[in-house]
Amino acid sequence: MSKFGELIDVDIPVLLDFFTEWNEQSTAMHPVLRDVAAALGDKAKVIKIDVDKNKELAEALRVKGLPTLIIYKDGEMKWRHSGEQDANTLIGIIQEYI
């Protein structure tokens, strides 16, 4: 969990994608997230977190639906959404926090 604190306590927005390999909506988000990461470059981070391998963290953040997308900046949760999003919408939301 201490590593998680280091991941999110940065001065650029960090988009976390909570997913599983067996969830169709989760895997459908992978190319979208690649596009988001490519469009934002070093202005933001996109981190995928496999819920099956990080159960404790997913429970602590009350991740129920997949995919769950969360934006942190300076260690603080700024935005959260369960379900799919398109790249342009995500880029727009992240840019609000840059």
Side-chain angles (χ1 to χ4, degrees):
M1 280 295 222
S2 64
K3 275 188 180 175
F4 179 70
E6 291 168 27
L7 275 180
I8 63 167
D9 198 12
V10 291
D11 61 357
I12 61 170
V14 179
L15 172 64
L16 302 179
D17 167 39
F18 287 87
F19 76 99
T20 62
E21 289 300 336
W22 49 263
N23 179 278
E24 245 175 74
Q25 288 176 311
S26 290
T27 52
M29 284 299 296
H30 293 343
V32 172
L33 294 166
R34 269 195 297 276
D35 292 347
V36 170
L40 294 169
D42 58 3
K43 294 188 190 105
K45 271 190 197 170
V46 177
I47 300 171
K48 297 189 324 190
I49 299 175
D50 187 332
V51 172
D52 290 334
K53 294 178 182 157
N54 296 279
K55 284 188 170 88
E56 210 175 290
L57 177 60
E59 283 173 22
L61 293 173
R62 295 186 177 94
V63 172
K64 303 279 186 246
L66 294 174
T68 292
L69 305 165
I70 305 176
I71 297 174
Y72 279 91
K73 185 171 179 185
D74 298 319
E76 194 180 310
M77 188 186 297
K78 300 291 187 182
W79 178 87
R80 181 178 177 135
H81 176 82
S82 288
E84 293 178 71
Q85 278 283 4
D86 66 90
N88 290 335
T89 303
L90 281 173
I91 291 165
I93 292 165
I94 293 168
Q95 284 176 330
E96 291 175 29
Y97 301 107
I98 292 175

